Amino acid sequence: GNSVTQMEGPVTLSEEAFLTINCTYTATGYPSLFWYVQYPGEGLQLLLKATKADDKGSNKGFEATYRKETTSFHLEKGSVQVSDSAVYFCAPLFGGSQGNLIFGKGTKLSVKP
Amino acid sequence: DSGVTQTPKHLITATGQRVTLRCSPRSGDLSVYWYQQSLDQGLQFLIQYYNGEERAKGNILERFSAQQFPDLHSELNLSSLELGDSALYFCASSIQGTPNTGELFFGEGSRLTVL
């Protein structure tokens, strides 16, 4: 069946370090792929998305590339800031016309100054 | 500010009780989604409404029910509450029904504590 697996945290980095959060999915088709971010005390908000193979989503210095061959959508940022501290969720959109987002478990990122 | 409003922000109640959570979607959004976030289960999709009609169902217990009213606000009713129902309940909205574009706007959540 359809599923998503996300790198478990927590992840602690120093400011300006490189970030990778791994996300892989299992699907019968080719879902659209999303990363959502949840800052402390807030609801989730869309960070970036990719709707087809080889698409690269980007926003706020974060990037993720839709890799059909490896069914992956890893989130990367070259230089993290303290303000990036949050929980990050990978979310494929499975299910065609009745599709709904299925969220990964979330990865908590803490960035230290 | 996402434009999605949820009330109450916090709620403490006892086992066996019933509560109602309310959600006002962004202006113009026709779809409302309910999610449950807990430490052990993560973020679980419960149910979706589109323009007053149920559109999709996820892992929603029979003790839970929801509806969307003509003014598009939605309510999630949780009854016969158990300790395990303690969680953060999120509402999200989007303008589309199906196909779902995946671009949702989330409220800040209602934190339910069952004692």
Side-chain angles (χ1 to χ4, degrees):
Chain A
N2 298 324
S3 66
V4 55
T5 302
Q6 184 177 339
M7 185 174 95
E8 289 196 25
V11 174
T12 302
L13 295 173
S14 297
E15 213 166 17
E16 299 183 4
F18 184 85
L19 169 71
T20 299
I21 300 178
N22 291 337
C23 172
T24 58
Y25 65 90
T26 303
T28 51
Y30 300 104
S32 295
L33 301 172
F34 300 81
W35 278 98
Y36 276 78
V37 58
Q38 184 179 24
Y39 296 102
E42 298 183 12
L44 282 75
Q45 54 185 275
L46 178 63
L47 180 60
L48 53 83
K49 68 174 184 179
T51 57
K52 61 183 188 297
D54 300 325
D55 266 2
K56 178 185 283 188
S58 61
N59 186 25
K60 298 182 181 180
F62 291 89
E63 292 183 340
T65 302
Y66 192 141
R67 302 286 188 199
K68 184 176 69 173
E69 310 78 22
T70 54
T71 63
S72 65
F73 193 53
H74 304 323
L75 182 68
E76 297 181 336
K77 186 173 185 181
S79 176
V80 294
Q81 305 300 311
V82 172
S83 57
D84 295 326
S85 298
V87 182
Y88 293 82
F89 294 88
C90 181
L93 178 61
F94 296 120
S97 64
Q98 288 294 325
N100 275 291
L101 290 173
I102 303 299
F103 287 88
K105 294 281 188 185
T107 302
K108 184 174 182 178
L109 170 66
S110 296
V111 181
K112 306 298 183 186
Chain B
D1 183 4
S2 67
V4 177
T5 303
Q6 288 188 247
T7 57
K9 291 195 185 310
H10 301 276
L11 190 55
I12 301 174
T13 188
T15 55
Q17 295 299 304
R18 172 189 168 96
V19 299
T20 297
L21 309 180
R22 181 189 169 101
C23 170
S24 294
R26 289 188 321 157
S27 177
D29 283 358
L30 301 176
S31 265
V32 169
Y33 307 76
W34 286 97
Y35 283 85
Q36 179 193 59
Q37 185 179 40
S38 60
L39 282 176
D40 53 344
Q41 295 291 325
L43 200 61
Q44 298 283 316
F45 168 66
L46 296 179
I47 198 164
Q48 178 201 355
Y49 280 83
Y50 175 73
N51 204 20
E53 293 188 5
E54 183 183 305
R55 187 55 64 94
K57 225 171 193 178
N59 301 320
I60 189 166
L61 299 173
E62 285 192 10
R63 300 183 285 108
F64 296 1
S65 64
Q67 54 184 325
Q68 186 180 27
F69 294 87
D71 67 353
L72 301 178
H73 91 271
S74 178
E75 293 181 356
L76 178 67
N77 301 295
L78 316 175
S79 62
S80 303
L81 285 168
E82 301 175 0
L83 296 177
D85 297 327
S86 296
L88 194 51
Y89 291 85
F90 283 109
C91 170
S93 74
S94 71
I95 194 166
Q96 290 91 352
T98 57
N100 185 348
T101 65
E103 297 185 38
L104 304 185
F105 295 85
F106 281 80
E108 294 185 354
S110 293
R111 182 170 294 282
L112 172 66
T113 302
V114 182
L115 301 176

